[in-house]
Amino acid sequence: MSGQAVSFGGLARQIVNEGIVTAEIMQRAASDAQTEKITLISHLVSKKLAKADQIAWLVARDFGDSLFDLDAIDQSLIPKDLVDEKIVRQFSVVPIFKRGSRIFVAMSDPTRVDALEAIRFASRLAVEAVVVEEDKLARLIEKLYENMTTADFSGFGGDVELDVETENNDDKNANDAAGAEEAPVVKFINKMLIDAIRMGASDLHFEPYEKSYRIRYRVDGVMREIARPPIQLAPKLAARLKVMSQMDISEKRMPQDGRIKLKVSKTKAIDFRVNSLPTLYGEKIVLRILDASSAMLGIDALGYEPEQKALFMAALERPQGMLLITGPTGSGKTVSLYTGLNILNTVDTNISTAEDPVEINLEGINQVNVNLKTGLTFAVALRAFLRQDPDIVMVGEIRDLETAEIAVKAAQTGHMVMSTLHTNSAPETLTRLRNMGVPSFNIATSVNLVIAQRLARRLCPACKSPVDVPAQSLKEMGFTDEDLATGFKVYQPVGCSECRDGYKGRIGIYEVMKVTSEISRIIMEEGNAIDIADASRRSGFNDLRRSGLIKVMQGMTSLQEVNRVTGGE
């Protein structure tokens, strides 16, 4: 092995000789890092080929530099204005403090003489390297530059390049949007999109006000302010986004819809669904991130309890009937639908979907974009599907009686129908159909399964902390004596370098209700949602509140979060 290692550079050879990675892995890693235009250490750590702390210890020992823990630094005291963000990101370095005419720079690879020279030239100060762990350094860089202010924007030089895929680009739009093509505007918008993807945001909001302009992301279901660029740039930012999403930039009085497809690598593209809305002080533009990989997560990643998963899978295996998913906007209904479709998507099955709009493209499924302007409604699409020999039909949403009646008819004539409604719980979904005008008999004989769902923020495993809650308080929140006998721990969010506010990611909370013979009887007898909910509990189906409490017992989320998403009921 040592013979092979000789061909590596000094640092790579030391890592191999120390036994942190093999020569074969290092050979591939060195080549891949060069292709990706990132440092070797960054590649090794990001691909989990080596641990950051092992490499940092080795580098500090062998190169005689100080080893520093970035978790111990006060980020507000970091002199980030001394060096341009472009240099920080290009070389993966951060100036952490200044002493006299000397600047101390955090870096994971002190052999990067070019980085030290760039900082020395930019700051006009003597530079001294301080070795840090690569993963902590990457997180620090993201935190330092995720909140760009007006001053930051004026000197923005982040060289972020994106490949925007467009069709039938309108030359008139391009000419009218000359201001939108200015380099700082283009780079700033690109950075906002890339940062949103990196942070796992679901939506981006570009919001003009009378005296300010605000950019916010929705991350883990919660809005966060990210940047405040100068208000004077509002028209240029809006124009740039409209050009990218193929909108008419001359139309500023009516809402418009568009789409952006970004190639972030040779093998991965991210879609953004874009909507513009004229407001009192300009156009507000909202982008929804549509990541096709979310549909490929698999049912095990969604957070169903074992018995709930079994009910879902059993409903998917039935040749006919309706499977309905309900919940508010942003509760993950689309991901649940696509997960089911992905399971059913085989070469011997004919699947058609009507959506408004199609959010994720799935190979092998016939997807139709509903277009009210041309008369292509859900009902019209459904009627056409039934003349095209379908096995499975997915309707994006049942909004009216006409769509509901056709969907029910399809479910009763040998087709599997999947759809969504906007109701608060599974029992309310069945009464909503009746209120639309669907006869009780048709509901009772066509609906197989109803799923109500919410998304709760998942506690960060690195920093969550146990908290003492009196037993009586736990009982008042809905825990049973049997629950308390298990001795489970309640955890609360804390916040650390791994997360932002004690939460990291989201987990699904579900109410999965099979339409049993008892529930069918209640529907036929015109029973209300309360009657159906009581029967559901008797059948052993957990409601949303109970499912949330189970996630608390499992240490996945907090009581505060369950109260937030289930209303504390």
Side-chain angles (χ1 to χ4, degrees):
M1 182 176 72
S2 60
Q4 289 174 290
V6 173
S7 61
F8 299 131
L11 178 57
R13 182 169 57 250
Q14 291 293 89
I15 293 173
V16 171
N17 290 341
E18 194 71 19
I20 296 176
V21 300
T22 65
E24 292 75 16
I25 291 176
M26 180 60 74
Q27 195 78 50
R28 288 195 302 271
S31 175
D32 291 344
Q34 188 173 11
T35 301
E36 296 171 14
K37 296 181 180 179
I38 60 175
T39 67
L40 175 61
I41 294 178
S42 178
H43 178 80
L44 290 171
V45 173
S46 65
K47 300 300 183 183
K48 301 189 186 312
L49 300 174
K51 292 183 177 179
D53 57 348
Q54 285 183 313
I55 294 180
W57 179 84
L58 170 67
V59 169
R61 184 197 69 185
D62 289 2
F63 291 89
D65 291 308
S66 303
L67 180 60
F68 187 81
D69 183 5
L70 284 177
D71 287 341
I73 196 170
D74 184 347
Q75 295 179 17
S76 65
L77 301 178
I78 292 177
K80 70 174 186 176
D81 294 337
L82 286 175
V83 180
D84 189 84
E85 181 192 357
K86 180 177 180 180
I87 294 176
V88 170
R89 290 191 180 275
Q90 179 181 350
F91 295 106
S92 192
V93 294
V94 173
I96 51 176
F97 55 90
K98 175 177 173 287
R99 186 176 298 158
S101 60
R102 184 174 296 272
I103 185 174
F104 293 82
V105 177
M107 56 196 311
S108 60
D109 183 1
T111 65
R112 292 290 303 271
V113 178
D114 53 345
L116 298 174
E117 285 297 327
I119 293 175
R120 183 179 292 111
F121 179 81
S123 65
R124 305 297 180 185
L125 298 170
V127 179
E128 185 169 327
V130 175
V131 178
V132 297
E133 296 163 49
E134 169 63 29
D135 53 351
K136 292 181 180 180
L137 178 61
R139 287 196 296 270
L140 176 61
I141 292 173
E142 291 306 315
K143 284 199 171 187
L144 287 177
Y145 294 98
E146 71 182 14
N147 293 306
M148 292 191 73
T149 63
T150 299
D152 292 326
F153 182 86
S154 63
F156 178 71
D159 192 13
V160 183
E161 297 295 336
L162 292 174
D163 183 5
V164 183
E165 294 188 3
T166 60
E167 296 179 3
N168 302 321
N169 208 352
D170 192 335
D171 290 336
K172 179 181 181 298
N173 270 6
N175 292 332
D176 290 346
E181 302 301 330
E182 294 178 6
V185 172
V186 172
K187 290 179 179 179
F188 181 72
I189 291 292
N190 288 353
K191 182 186 187 311
M192 291 294 99
L193 301 186
I194 285 291
D195 284 354
I197 295 169
R198 287 172 177 163
M199 292 173 64
S202 60
D203 303 87
L204 296 79
H205 293 242
F206 292 79
E207 304 170 312
Y209 297 98
E210 183 178 12
K211 297 180 180 179
S212 64
Y213 192 90
R214 179 173 67 176
I215 298 174
R216 293 189 293 172
Y217 296 167
R218 186 177 295 278
V219 181
D220 293 340
V222 177
M223 296 289 282
R224 304 175 187 275
E225 183 174 312
I226 299 300
R228 279 188 175 267
I231 184 62
Q232 296 85 354
L233 291 172
K236 293 181 180 180
L237 295 175
R240 175 59 184 168
L241 288 166
K242 290 171 73 175
V243 167
M244 292 174 72
S245 53
Q246 302 294 289
M247 294 183 190
D248 179 1
I249 67 166
S250 63
E251 176 56 76
K252 300 178 181 179
R253 298 168 298 175
M254 292 292 292
Q256 294 187 68
D257 291 304
R259 202 173 182 108
I260 299 173
K261 189 179 186 67
L262 296 182
K263 290 190 68 175
V264 294
S265 71
K266 291 182 179 179
T267 59
K268 185 175 178 65
I270 301 289
D271 283 342
F272 294 80
R273 191 178 75 201
V274 189
N275 177 265
S276 69
L277 177 69
T279 67
L280 194 60
Y281 298 108
E283 290 181 281
K284 173 176 178 177
I285 297 184
V286 177
L287 293 81
R288 164 67 59 89
I289 299 178
L290 309 173
D291 189 352
S293 63
S294 63
M296 309 301 174
L297 290 174
I299 191 169
D300 291 327
L302 299 185
Y304 286 95
E305 297 302 317
E307 61 275 11
Q308 294 177 331
K309 174 186 171 183
L311 289 170
F312 189 14
M313 295 301 294
L316 291 176
E317 291 169 2
R318 297 189 65 170
Q320 67 183 57
M322 293 182 72
L323 191 162
L324 300 175
I325 299 178
T326 182
T329 300
S331 61
K333 298 188 300 295
T334 300
V335 172
S336 291
L337 278 177
Y338 278 125
T339 299
L341 288 175
N342 202 43
I343 293 171
L344 296 169
N345 188 13
T346 58
V347 70
D348 57 353
T349 303
N350 180 18
I351 303 176
S352 296
T353 73
E355 305 170 62
D356 183 20
V358 173
E359 294 196 2
I360 299 173
N361 298 323
L362 292 178
E363 185 73 24
I365 293 179
N366 308 291
Q367 296 174 276
V368 174
N369 249 329
V370 168
N371 189 334
L372 299 181
K373 291 181 180 178
T374 63
L376 181 54
T377 64
F378 283 120
V380 170
L382 263 175
R383 286 197 185 94
F385 290 166
L386 296 179
R387 293 192 291 269
Q388 294 217 336
D389 185 32
D391 296 303
I392 298 161
V393 171
M394 191 271 270
V395 186
E397 183 183 349
I398 295 178
R399 298 175 180 172
D400 52 54
L401 176 59
E402 184 182 17
T403 305
E405 286 181 332
I406 301 171
V408 167
K409 178 183 177 182
Q412 291 175 329
T413 55
H415 306 94
M416 160 65 74
V417 178
M418 302 171 68
S419 189
T420 71
L421 281 88
H422 284 282
T423 57
N424 291 325
S425 67
E428 289 177 44
T429 303
L430 300 174
T431 56
R432 173 66 61 83
L433 287 173
R434 189 171 63 210
N435 292 339
M436 281 183 178
V438 180
S440 297
F441 174 79
N442 287 344
I443 299 171
T445 56
S446 62
V447 179
N448 294 335
L449 190 77
V450 185
I451 300 173
Q453 64 182 74
R454 303 288 188 275
L455 288 177
R457 289 180 293 172
R458 188 193 294 264
L459 283 167
C460 173
C463 67
K464 65 180 182 180
S465 171
V467 58
D468 289 329
V469 182
Q472 185 58 37
S473 297
L474 292 175
K475 285 185 178 182
E476 292 172 358
M477 293 176 188
F479 292 101
T480 66
D481 289 330
E482 290 78 9
D483 295 336
L484 299 180
T486 64
F488 70 90
K489 291 183 178 180
V490 177
Y491 290 90
Q492 64 183 352
V494 177
C496 69
S497 61
E498 294 280 343
C499 63
R500 290 178 177 81
D501 51 9
Y503 296 100
K504 190 175 183 180
R506 289 193 284 180
I507 187 74
I509 294 177
Y510 303 94
E511 177 183 19
V512 181
M513 185 184 76
K514 178 183 176 182
V515 179
T516 63
S517 56
E518 181 184 6
I519 292 175
S520 294
R521 178 180 54 79
I522 294 172
I523 296 171
M524 296 282 288
E525 294 173 353
E526 307 289 325
N528 58 32
I530 296 175
D531 298 328
I532 296 171
D534 290 340
S536 177
R537 278 192 291 271
R538 286 194 295 273
S539 298
F541 306 139
N542 293 328
D543 60 14
L544 283 167
R545 177 69 177 177
R546 178 62 188 168
S547 295
L549 296 180
I550 290 173
K551 292 292 190 288
V552 171
M553 294 169 63
Q554 294 169 345
M556 291 186 177
T557 192
S558 66
L559 280 170
Q560 304 97 300
E561 188 65 6
V562 170
N563 288 334
R564 183 181 72 86
V565 300
T566 65
E569 298 297 331

